[in-house]
């Protein structure tokens, strides 16, 4: 079975550029989560969706971050404009129920 | 962000040894999960626990949901080199409907 798919796996960009991260959840999972992982703060939940509807976006750092889920098999996390402090690993996870989450391989973002 | 207390922070052991690590919280949780993260990869779910006192095994791994619902334990028996990685606990439910992660335990296994 295919797990959670994320693209790109690596992204290097310059400050001020727009960055779009993509996620395909496991088929049949109703929940989709976006996390950010840094050495200092560990894994932080940014936003999550249930049946394509955003439920909690309180973890989104600021207005530069936005996320969409246009259908059950696709979600994007966009950063515009990007800043060096956004450099981190961004994970997408999906689940049948809210708690038992399966993670993708992550996107390693470096903003210069 | 909130993180659970996980100990030890790191372990350096010989192949074949058993490993124990634990996770504690000031809040109660309804679910405890254990993940393993390899370098450059995402966390992989190892074991999920849904009931206080529950003891669950997955191969050489055994995890327990603490009776107080504020802690959980993971044991790895007869460690092998591929057990190397960072192990994270995660708690769900209680005061917040979010998965809260531990600070991680780095495991190194010497062949």
């Amino acid at each position: 079975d295919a797990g959670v798919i994320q693209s790109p796996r690596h992204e290097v960009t310059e400050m001020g550029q727009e960055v779009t991260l993509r996620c395909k959840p496991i088929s049949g999972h109703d929940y989709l989560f976006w996390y950010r992982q840094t050495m200092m703060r560990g894994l932080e939940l940014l936003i999550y969706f249930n049946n394509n509807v955003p439920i909690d976006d309180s973890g989104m750092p600021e207005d530069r971050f936005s996320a969409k889920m246009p259908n059950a098999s696709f979600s994007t996390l966009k950063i515009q404009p990007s800043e060096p402090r956004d450099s981190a690993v961004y994970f997408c996870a999906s689940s049948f129920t809210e708690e038992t989450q399966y993670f993708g391989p992550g996107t390693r973002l470096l903003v210069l | 962000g909130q993180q659970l207390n996980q100990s030890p922070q790191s372990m350096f052991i010989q192949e074949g040894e058993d490993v124990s690590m634990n996770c504690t919280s000031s809040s109660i949780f309804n679910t405890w999960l254990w993940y393993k993260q390899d370098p450059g990869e995402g966390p992989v779910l190892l074991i999920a626990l849904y009931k206080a006192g529950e003891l669950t095994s997955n191969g050489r791994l055994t995890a327990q949901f603490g009776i107080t619902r504020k802690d959980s334990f993971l044991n790895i028996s007869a460690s092998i080199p591929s057990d190397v990685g960072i192990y994270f606990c995660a708690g769900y439910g209680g005061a917040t409907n979010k998965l809260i992660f531990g600070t991680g335990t780095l495991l190194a296994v010497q062949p």
Side-chain angles (χ1 to χ4, degrees):
Chain A
D1 291 338
V4 175
I5 299 172
Q6 290 187 247
S7 65
R9 291 293 308 272
H10 303 269
E11 177 82 31
V12 181
T13 190
E14 292 188 345
M15 182 173 64
Q17 296 296 307
E18 178 179 293
V19 174
T20 300
L21 311 181
R22 298 172 177 80
C23 175
K24 176 178 168 55
I26 294 171
S27 177
H29 281 187
D30 294 329
Y31 290 89
L32 184 140
F33 307 82
W34 283 101
Y35 286 88
R36 180 170 66 178
Q37 186 178 40
T38 61
M39 288 292 292
M40 291 297 294
R41 299 174 67 87
L43 273 161
E44 298 176 282
L45 177 66
L46 300 177
I47 184 172
Y48 80 94
F49 296 82
N50 181 23
N51 291 320
N52 313 336
V53 176
I55 302 301
D56 185 346
D57 65 354
S58 59
M60 295 286 259
E62 47 198 275
D63 292 346
R64 298 184 297 106
F65 286 70
S66 62
K68 294 182 180 179
M69 191 165 186
N71 57 63
S73 59
F74 183 66
S75 177
T76 59
L77 177 68
K78 188 174 292 187
I79 309 172
Q80 166 64 14
S82 58
E83 297 182 1
R85 59 194 168 118
D86 301 331
S87 299
V89 184
Y90 291 82
F91 289 105
C92 176
S94 71
S95 62
F96 279 122
T97 57
E98 213 164 337
E99 70 278 4
T100 311
Q101 300 173 21
Y102 296 85
F103 283 74
T107 295
R108 278 139 195 85
L109 174 64
L110 177 61
V111 183
L112 302 173
Chain B
Q2 181 186 358
Q3 293 187 74
L4 305 177
N5 297 318
Q6 198 170 334
S7 65
Q9 278 191 311
S10 59
M11 302 181 73
F12 299 88
I13 62 171
Q14 296 285 330
E15 183 176 0
E17 289 185 27
D18 295 344
V19 170
S20 291
M21 59 189 78
N22 68 72
C23 196
T24 59
S25 169
S26 57
S27 308
I28 61 172
F29 288 109
N30 299 324
T31 301
W32 281 95
L33 304 166
W34 284 92
Y35 289 86
K36 176 177 182 264
Q37 187 173 19
D38 291 332
E41 299 295 331
V44 174
L45 182 62
L46 300 174
I47 292 180
L49 303 157
Y50 300 104
K51 200 189 305 187
E54 180 181 351
L55 186 72
T56 296
S57 293
N58 178 8
R60 294 178 296 105
L61 277 61
T62 301
Q64 184 161 24
F65 191 141
I67 283 292
T68 65
R69 295 167 63 194
K70 292 184 177 182
D71 56 9
S72 181
F73 306 87
L74 177 70
N75 296 315
I76 305 173
S77 62
S79 59
I80 59 178
S82 62
D83 291 334
V84 164
I86 301 177
Y87 291 79
F88 290 99
C89 63
Y92 177 86
T96 173
N97 282 336
K98 293 181 183 180
L99 201 55
I100 307 298
F101 284 85
T103 47
T105 294
L106 171 65
L107 177 63
V109 180
Q110 174 117 15

